[in-house]
Amino acid sequence: MSERWEKKKEIRKNKRKGNDQYTFGDFVFEVFFWVPEILFLPFRMLFWLVRGIGRVIGSLFDGI
């Protein structure tokens, strides 16, 4: 009985500390978030660059 109680105590202690193990589920979760970011990043950067240049050109024409 004492051995079982010690094991339960250890499990509770680990839960309180926080489990820092990196599981396969964590990896899959990370991949599902990073892949779209990596794929769409160049297009978003291009979009913001074109939009910024358009705003600069637009404000030059507003000044005329």
Side-chain angles (χ1 to χ4, degrees):
M1 186 73 171
S2 174
E3 194 174 306
R4 183 175 174 200
W5 179 253
E6 289 297 323
K7 197 169 194 172
K8 270 186 154 182
K9 205 174 187 181
E10 185 68 29
I11 290 171
R12 285 186 186 147
K13 191 167 78 172
N14 286 342
K15 281 185 181 179
R16 271 186 273 140
K17 280 185 187 176
N19 195 357
D20 292 336
Q21 292 177 344
Y22 195 72
T23 63
F24 181 72
D26 294 332
F27 173 73
V28 170
F29 191 71
E30 292 272 336
V31 168
F32 279 141
F33 274 100
W34 276 99
V35 167
E37 287 292 323
I38 291 171
L39 289 176
F40 294 124
L41 180 66
F43 298 111
R44 283 192 299 170
M45 289 178 68
L46 187 65
F47 171 76
W48 286 107
L49 182 68
V50 169
R51 187 174 179 190
I53 291 172
R55 284 188 176 198
V56 168
I57 292 172
S59 42
L60 285 176
F61 284 121
D62 285 343
I64 294 178

